[in-house]
Amino acid sequence: MKTQARLVMNFQGWKHVAASGLVAVLSTTAAHAASSDVIEARLRALEAEIAKLRREARQAKEDALQATQSAQRSAAKAEAAHAATSLMPPVFVAFKNGLFVESADKAYNFKIGGRMQFDGGGAAQPLNGWSGQAGVRQVRLEVEGKAAKYWFYKLQYDFAGSQYGTPFNAPVQGGIRDFYLGLQHPILALPFTKEPAFIHIGSYFEPFSLEFTASSRFRDFIERAMAVEAIAPSRHLGAAIGAYGDNWTAKGGIFTTSFEDLNTNPAVGVPPLLGVPARAGWVPSGGGQYFDLTGRLTYAPIMTEHDLLHVGVSGRYHQPNSATGLSDDRVLRIGNRIRSEAYILNQGLLGTPDLSCGTVALPGWTSAAAAHCVNNVQSFGVELSAAHGPFSLQAEYLGQQVNRNTTNIALARLAGAFAPGGASHYFSGFYLYGQWYLTGEERAAAYDVTNKLGANFNQITIKHPMSAGGFGAVGLAARYSALNLNSGPYSGSRLYNMLAYTTLIAPNPVAASYIGNAGVVGGRQQNITLGLNWYPDNGFHFQFNWVHVLQASAPLNDYALFTTGVPTRQGPYFNGAHPDLFEARAQVYW
């Protein structure tokens, strides 16, 4: 029993132990389960933190990469800017008589300049008494300079409006004057010059005459001499090649239309005819514009700061083609722009009729066309300038030969045109002047052979400018000039007396026609001019001129065909008259 009781007690003990173990196991399992949940929660939180850190790391990496790239770009830009800055040379800027900017290596420069000229005066005309006028002669702005070491350029515009009045020379395309570019490259080097030759393209003065190519800023008289204005060509569109040495210049080129022409379009060359055969198709009617072949040579055997001797020669061949006096008036209506060397007073005493015979309409023509009365025109000029100390001299002689077609002249008369003269006519003129600077300035020092327009004179060096306490430069000048546009057996009072006799006293149409058509009568004039020049400072020029007409021989032309815009002419009544013209100019240039 005891054994049985002992077994029962052992079994119960093991049962208790087993129950306790089971409880312990269950408790441990439950605890383990609770711990796993915590761990899992912690793992999830840790994974989330790691993911966040990874995102932040990626973002930081991207930010760092962008910052690096931005820094690299900034560095590259800074390096490029530094390189560009290192390639760009320093620039020199000056405001003396205009804005001038130039690179240190002198490969680039430009200058902004201009001028304003204010004229006024009066004329004592023996028939009309005293008349006065004032106005603006020129108001110009310009820019010129050099680019890429070898190129040069200029653009000049005149705001003063029409010049000389319509119908003669109402400038086309605004007031464009100089408008060109050029190239002076070592490839054009000559073995006998220090500087290369140059190519010049655009609108500029043709290489002809010393006075016509001189700037009005430094001219010794307010207006050019009559012969120069009548015979020398003005600015024209063209291309030329030039060169210069220590004391010589040479330039020649081909030129055509001018911005200063009345009309840039020539007349119709060939008119359509009635009854043109079908096989002929169409008949071209467009006309060809004129062209010039022009050249100038100069040489200065004496050329120092105090002494100068300059000589030169110019020549021009002019082919009018289908141009008439309407578009080519400087040549075909020679002298019509002359204003007695006092432009603002508008006193014109000279001028030939249209040597081209203008436009005509013959029987069988459906419209008018150019009469083609001029085959060609040949002009020449010789020039001389000398200076010694404050005294200087200058002179030029100019001539013009007009070769015409007598058959076309006869046809023009048949069509009713006023076409006087014959196959050949010669016109000429000259001037001579001297100047003395009372204040001691020397013109020889202003002589320049590097001017692209040819040898000429620049601003004189003022010894005692007003800005430095002095009075400036003062010069006295005197000029004699003459122009003869008569070419025929009759002129002046004799011509008008014969015409009056054959038309009024003893009418004879045949005789009157012969007398009126025997030659070209553009008139003849001789002037003497006294002048005063005052340069108070560089950029300022004051002038006074007194022009006395020594001789006036009236022209016989066709100006009566125009009803408006023609300067008043007194016709035959000016034969033997001696008008006096007084003109003053105030000028500033920069």
Side-chain angles (χ1 to χ4, degrees):
M1 287 296 290
K2 290 182 181 179
T3 301
Q4 184 177 7
R6 196 177 293 115
L7 289 172
V8 171
M9 287 178 64
N10 288 338
F11 175 76
Q12 290 178 345
W14 282 105
K15 184 177 179 182
H16 177 74
V17 171
S20 299
L22 180 61
V23 170
V25 170
L26 293 175
S27 299
T28 302
T29 302
H32 180 71
S35 176
S36 295
D37 292 340
V38 172
I39 292 173
E40 186 174 352
R42 290 180 177 178
L43 287 175
R44 285 195 298 270
L46 183 59
E47 289 175 351
E49 186 68 22
I50 292 172
K52 179 181 178 183
L53 291 174
R54 286 177 177 174
R55 288 194 301 271
E56 292 177 352
R58 283 195 301 269
Q59 186 63 43
K61 186 176 180 180
E62 292 176 359
D63 292 343
L65 179 61
Q66 292 178 359
T68 302
Q69 292 175 345
S70 177
Q72 291 175 346
R73 286 194 297 269
S74 299
K77 290 181 180 179
E79 184 178 354
H82 177 72
T85 303
S86 63
L87 291 175
M88 185 178 299
V91 172
F92 170 77
V93 180
F95 294 94
K96 186 177 181 180
N97 285 339
L99 173 62
F100 179 76
V101 180
E102 184 175 50
S103 60
D105 61 0
K106 300 185 183 299
Y108 294 84
N109 66 49
F110 73 88
K111 178 181 181 294
I112 298 176
R115 73 190 70 171
M116 295 185 293
Q117 297 175 351
F118 308 95
D119 293 2
Q125 304 178 50
L127 299 177
N128 294 339
W130 174 266
S131 65
Q133 182 62 276
V136 177
R137 184 67 167 91
Q138 295 179 4
V139 178
R140 296 183 180 181
L141 285 178
E142 61 189 36
V143 57
E144 60 181 319
K146 181 170 67 174
K149 193 175 182 179
Y150 303 119
W151 297 89
F152 59 92
Y153 59 90
K154 183 177 182 180
L155 171 61
Q156 183 186 78
Y157 194 93
D158 193 347
F159 296 89
S162 297
Q163 193 177 19
Y164 298 104
T166 57
F168 306 110
N169 190 34
V172 297
Q173 299 188 31
I176 295 175
R177 293 298 179 259
D178 289 327
F179 179 56
Y180 61 75
L181 61 87
L183 175 66
Q184 190 171 21
H185 193 276
I187 196 173
L188 300 173
L190 300 174
F192 47 86
T193 63
K194 293 181 180 179
E195 298 291 335
F198 59 90
I199 297 173
H200 206 176
I201 302 172
S203 171
Y204 50 88
F205 286 126
E206 292 189 24
F208 193 105
S209 170
L210 173 61
E211 187 169 63
F212 208 104
T213 55
S215 172
S216 62
R217 296 171 297 171
F218 317 128
R219 222 165 34 217
D220 294 325
F221 292 88
I222 294 177
E223 301 295 346
R224 303 181 182 97
M226 293 182 294
V228 176
E229 282 284 1
I231 297 175
S234 186
R235 296 175 179 87
H236 287 82
L237 293 173
I241 185 167
Y244 52 84
D246 292 334
N247 61 349
W248 62 271
T249 69
K251 188 177 182 181
I254 182 170
F255 303 87
T256 182
T257 305
S258 171
F259 287 126
E260 297 177 70
D261 285 341
L262 171 63
N263 192 321
T264 58
N265 298 316
V268 172
V270 179
L273 304 176
L274 295 176
V276 176
R279 287 185 300 173
W282 56 276
V283 177
S285 59
Q289 185 64 298
Y290 65 84
F291 71 86
D292 289 345
L293 297 175
T294 310
R296 179 179 178 227
L297 296 172
T298 70
Y299 175 60
I302 301 175
M303 180 181 167
T304 70
E305 291 186 2
H306 309 289
D307 298 286
L308 173 71
L309 177 60
H310 159 101
V311 293
V313 60
S314 305
R316 176 179 62 158
Y317 173 85
H318 182 84
Q319 178 69 52
N321 294 322
S322 299
T324 66
L326 186 62
S327 61
D328 189 16
D329 65 286
R330 284 184 180 270
V331 176
L332 301 179
R333 285 185 178 273
I334 180 173
N336 76 84
R337 301 191 185 196
I338 303 302
R339 295 296 177 268
S340 301
E341 299 172 341
Y343 163 81
I344 199 68
L345 302 180
N346 203 26
Q347 185 179 91
L349 306 180
L350 303 175
T352 70
D354 190 345
L355 300 177
S356 74
C357 304
T359 58
V360 298
L362 292 173
W365 292 10
T366 59
S367 63
H372 295 105
C373 289
V374 175
N375 293 328
N376 57 70
V377 179
Q378 299 161 18
S379 308
F380 74 94
V382 291
E383 59 195 59
L384 168 71
S385 183
H388 175 67
F391 181 72
S392 61
L393 289 171
Q394 185 169 306
E396 289 189 74
Y397 177 88
L398 301 96
Q400 182 162 296
Q401 174 67 39
V402 181
N403 301 309
R404 306 175 78 201
N405 187 309
T406 54
T407 300
N408 289 343
I409 293 174
L411 291 174
R413 292 175 183 172
L414 180 64
F418 180 54
S424 178
H425 295 282
Y426 181 74
F427 310 109
S428 64
F430 68 92
Y431 72 87
L432 168 66
Y433 78 75
Q435 180 169 229
W436 177 38
Y437 278 103
L438 304 178
T439 47
E441 281 72 20
E442 298 178 289
R443 196 179 187 217
Y447 185 71
D448 180 18
V449 297
T450 65
N451 190 322
K452 298 298 191 298
L453 297 178
N456 225 303
F457 295 91
N458 295 323
Q459 167 79 63
I460 61 169
T461 301
I462 303 173
K463 289 191 172 183
H464 306 289
M466 290 190 69
S467 58
F471 189 72
V474 178
L476 297 177
R479 177 176 67 189
Y480 176 79
S481 62
L483 178 62
N484 185 4
L485 299 181
N486 294 332
S487 178
Y490 313 116
S491 63
S493 297
R494 181 187 180 195
L495 168 65
Y496 280 99
N497 288 338
M498 294 176 67
L499 287 175
Y501 183 83
T502 56
T503 56
L504 299 177
I505 300 175
N508 187 330
V510 175
S513 176
Y514 169 78
I515 295 170
N517 288 290
V520 174
V521 182
R524 183 174 182 178
Q525 187 172 344
Q526 299 176 31
N527 294 347
I528 186 169
T529 304
L530 299 180
L532 170 67
N533 289 287
W534 178 38
Y535 293 91
D537 275 291
N538 286 341
F540 298 90
H541 189 187
F542 297 88
Q543 296 175 279
F544 175 79
N545 286 178
W546 168 29
V547 181
H548 177 69
V549 179
L550 295 174
Q551 180 188 17
S553 175
L556 178 65
N557 50 44
D558 56 350
Y559 290 122
L561 298 178
F562 297 93
T563 57
T564 60
V566 180
T568 302
R569 285 171 166 78
Q570 301 298 327
Y573 304 106
F574 253 118
N575 285 315
H578 306 284
D580 289 291
L581 301 95
F582 303 89
E583 186 178 20
R585 168 173 293 175
Q587 178 178 191
V588 58
Y589 51 89
W590 60 93

